[in-house]
Amino acid sequence: MYTLQFRIRKNNGRLSQWFNESRHNDRYDAKKALGQHIGTYWTFDSRVIRYDGQVVGEYKYKQG
């Protein structure tokens, strides 16, 4: 079981807390779910966490 989390950059430049977005059976399904946020939040971080709490991937998206 893998959990996709994200956090956004606030107007003051600070990052928000981590929010749970969705749970997936496969790591690659969790990575595919990232595409749903790109249109909504231009600058955000996301990460995929394994069931035991280990971070298995971190991704950063910045506005061009």
Side-chain angles (χ1 to χ4, degrees):
M1 181 68 63
Y2 293 87
T3 302
L4 174 65
Q5 293 183 332
F6 73 97
R7 63 184 179 180
I8 60 173
R9 187 158 306 273
K10 298 178 183 179
N11 290 337
N12 63 4
R14 294 185 178 196
L15 290 167
S16 67
Q17 66 186 25
W18 286 104
F19 297 102
N20 287 339
E21 169 57 28
S22 54
R23 295 191 187 275
H24 303 273
N25 291 328
D26 185 89
R27 176 181 176 182
Y28 299 103
D29 288 340
K31 285 172 57 177
K32 284 193 288 188
L34 292 173
Q36 298 173 357
H37 294 288
I38 293 173
T40 306
Y41 303 113
W42 288 100
T43 301
F44 72 97
D45 296 346
S46 62
R47 64 184 180 183
V48 177
I49 299 179
R50 198 167 54 193
Y51 63 91
D52 61 358
Q54 181 180 0
V55 176
V56 294
E58 281 200 42
Y59 311 93
K60 297 180 187 289
Y61 295 92
K62 281 192 169 181
Q63 186 175 9

